[in-house]
Amino acid sequence: MSAGTVVLVGTAVFAVGCATGGTGLRDGGPARTEAVSRTSPSGPAPEDSSGASAASSGQALKKVDPVALLMKDPKVSAEVKRDLKPCSGKEYPVDVSYGKVTGSPVADIVVNVLSCADALGRGTYVYREDGGAYENVFSDEQPPVYAEIDRGDLVVTKQVYGKSDALAYPSGEDVITYRWNGEKFTEQDRVHSEYSNVVDGGVPPAPVTSQKN
């Protein structure tokens, strides 16, 4: 799973689509460790499920302020709200995806909250429009966690750490696929991967031996 571009949100909302092997909209990847980048509000229009931009498809994209959405949501924990602060200036560490994941005629919103220090996923939320307001229909606040839209499904990635794992080298990863059943998300598939600890710089130190004179 490839990582996309982190979207920093101030008073406006920015959204970036990232190409995948399918036709769905995917934004970002699992909990990320690369530096947070900036996205200009004059960038490309977000992609819909057919890969075309919202502007070219003739469908207006209704954007929201994700920070305000999170702060007034009673389902978002007090800890996440307390720590949700700009990394610099007015730029918040928030990723936003707009796409069809609940079957609603209006684009759903997937919001990922990251940490400023290491860009790891602190929490992920899905909002569905209901009567002009947005309802929280999914949330996961067990970090590190990151969600994305893939061909109409919600794909949640959770890295797994052992007691001695360094932050950059988790022991494994769970990729969970959820599908909307008309009322809520239900788990459709789960893939667990275990990583080797002898690649990508994760080689364990050589054992120390003592010599007797």
Side-chain angles (χ1 to χ4, degrees), residues 2 9 30 40 43 47 50 55 77 82 87 113 123 135 144 155 192 202 212:
S2 59
V9 182
S40 168
E47 294 182 349
S50 65
S77 69
R82 183 182 65 247
C87 294
V113 178
E135 177 188 4
V155 179
H192 175 75
K212 293 183 180 181

Side-chain angles (χ1 to χ4, degrees), residues 16-64:
V16 177
C18 181
T20 68
T23 58
L25 170 66
R26 302 183 69 181
D27 181 52
R32 296 177 299 218
T33 57
E34 75 269 17
V36 176
S37 61
R38 299 183 180 184
T39 301
S40 168
S42 59
E47 294 182 349
D48 61 20
S49 59
S50 65
S53 68
S56 63
S57 64
Q59 184 179 25
L61 181 63
K62 183 179 179 181
K63 295 185 178 181
V64 301

Side-chain angles (χ1 to χ4, degrees), residues 2-114:
S2 59
T5 302
V6 178
V7 180
L8 291 178
V9 182
T11 55
V13 180
F14 312 142
V16 177
C18 181
T20 68
T23 58
L25 170 66
R26 302 183 69 181
D27 181 52
R32 296 177 299 218
T33 57
E34 75 269 17
V36 176
S37 61
R38 299 183 180 184
T39 301
S40 168
S42 59
E47 294 182 349
D48 61 20
S49 59
S50 65
S53 68
S56 63
S57 64
Q59 184 179 25
L61 181 63
K62 183 179 179 181
K63 295 185 178 181
V64 301
D65 181 345
V67 176
L69 197 63
L70 293 168
M71 296 302 288
K72 68 180 182 181
D73 183 358
K75 293 184 179 180
V76 177
S77 69
E79 181 181 3
V80 170
K81 290 180 180 179
R82 183 182 65 247
D83 295 338
L84 184 55
K85 300 176 182 179
C87 294
S88 63
K90 295 182 179 180
E91 296 174 336
Y92 286 81
V94 177
D95 273 9
V96 186
S97 297
Y98 295 88
K100 299 296 182 64
V101 72
T102 70
S104 172
V106 179
D108 303 301
I109 303 173
V110 177
V111 181
N112 287 285
V113 178
L114 311 176

Side-chain angles (χ1 to χ4, degrees), residues 70 73 75-77 80 110-114 121-127 136-147 154-159 174 176 178 185 187 190:
L70 293 168
D73 183 358
K75 293 184 179 180
V76 177
S77 69
V80 170
V110 177
V111 181
N112 287 285
V113 178
L114 311 176
R122 295 287 311 279
T124 186
Y125 312 89
V126 179
Y127 291 94
N136 183 333
V137 292
F138 180 90
S139 62
D140 190 329
E141 295 182 333
Q142 296 295 321
V145 60
Y146 197 93
L154 179 69
V155 179
V156 177
T157 302
K158 301 175 70 70
Q159 291 176 324
D174 288 327
I176 311 166
Y178 294 94
F185 285 102
E187 183 175 325
R190 180 183 292 255

